[in-house]
Amino acid sequence: MEHKFITFQNTQQIIQFVNMVNKLDFDVDAKYGSRVVDAKSILGVISLASYKTIEVIFHSDADCNPQINKIFDLAS
């Protein structure tokens, strides 16, 4: 499991992020405070992440750092 933090500046970044996360073959959650949503859901991430720093949790036992870094490079 890998934890990262990200802040989105606009809705387009959220859409791009969700599209990239949907290509992963493992679960990804987005968390802000006590609220957790499926990071593969555009509505869920938009409702949670607008202009806030959120925690992104990647549920994978394999080494997924190259995929994660690519997502964060393009989404931020």
Side-chain angles (χ1 to χ4, degrees), residues 9-25:
Q9 300 303 319
N10 56 53
T11 305
Q12 188 61 32
Q13 286 181 332
I14 294 172
I15 293 169
Q16 183 181 13
F17 171 80
V18 171
N19 287 337
M20 289 186 289
V21 167
N22 270 306
K23 295 176 184 174
L24 300 174
D25 60 350

Side-chain angles (χ1 to χ4, degrees), residues 21-72:
V21 167
N22 270 306
K23 295 176 184 174
L24 300 174
D25 60 350
F26 47 86
D27 291 333
V28 182
D29 291 326
K31 180 180 177 187
Y32 181 76
S34 62
R35 293 181 54 204
V36 179
V37 298
D38 183 356
K40 295 183 179 185
S41 164
I42 289 176
L43 289 176
V45 177
I46 286 175
S47 70
L48 184 70
S50 296
Y51 304 100
K52 297 178 229 168
T53 300
I54 62 167
E55 180 180 4
V56 181
I57 305 164
F58 297 88
H59 298 278
S60 174
D61 292 333
D63 181 23
C64 55
N65 282 332
Q67 293 170 305
I68 293 171
N69 291 337
K70 182 179 178 184
I71 290 170
F72 279 84

